[in-house]
Amino acid sequence: QVQLVESGGGLVQAGGSRRLSCAASPSISRIYSMEWYRQAPGKERELVASISSAGSTNYADSVKGRFTIARNFAKNTADLQMNNLRPEDTAVYYCGAGYYNSRDEIVLLMGQGTQVTVSS
């Protein structure tokens, strides 16, 4: 089964930290990019952070210096370390991945999401 599974969401106080993890199915082997998105109530989904297979990272301006994305190639995971959290970081966080399937076609996959709530 091809899927992404997020974990680590929950309730955290402002100023605190949280680590999200995204696990890709073992059958997904040629991942060229993994990302974290978020969607707050009443707002559009936005890209929070991304990391390429070469390790290049990009971050939304609103999280630069506070969030860090990292990949574990052996475990086929991508983690998002979130520090100094703010109430405006409250959202459902989604993991995304782009990979090549057995026919060399590009496939874009998204997880089910995990809720992060930051209390003031």
Side-chain angles (χ1 to χ4, degrees):
Q1 189 175 3
V2 176
Q3 62 178 357
L4 300 173
V5 179
E6 303 100 334
S7 61
L11 178 64
V12 61
Q13 288 188 332
S17 298
R18 200 80 182 182
R19 188 177 188 89
L20 304 181
S21 185
C22 173
S25 304
S27 58
I28 304 175
S29 59
R30 294 188 294 165
I31 298 174
Y32 62 84
S33 177
M34 294 190 77
E35 309 87 32
W36 281 96
Y37 301 83
R38 67 184 180 186
Q39 186 167 18
K43 295 188 177 181
E44 293 186 354
R45 189 172 299 183
E46 64 171 341
L47 178 64
V48 175
S50 65
I51 185 166
S52 71
S53 57
S56 297
T57 58
N58 283 290
Y59 297 93
D61 288 342
S62 59
V63 306
K64 281 181 181 177
R66 299 188 299 123
F67 290 13
T68 302
I69 188 171
R71 279 197 63 185
N72 185 317
F73 291 91
K75 295 182 178 180
N76 224 17
T77 61
D79 291 352
L80 184 68
Q81 177 66 42
M82 306 184 294
N83 298 326
N84 192 21
L85 283 161
R86 305 167 180 169
E88 53 264 38
D89 294 318
T90 295
V92 178
Y93 284 73
Y94 299 88
C95 175
Y99 69 97
Y100 296 94
N101 64 12
S102 59
R103 295 185 295 273
D104 287 333
E105 298 166 330
I106 293 175
V107 179
L108 303 178
L109 195 62
M110 189 78 72
Q112 293 298 309
T114 184
Q115 175 72 45
V116 174
T117 302
V118 184
S119 62
S120 57

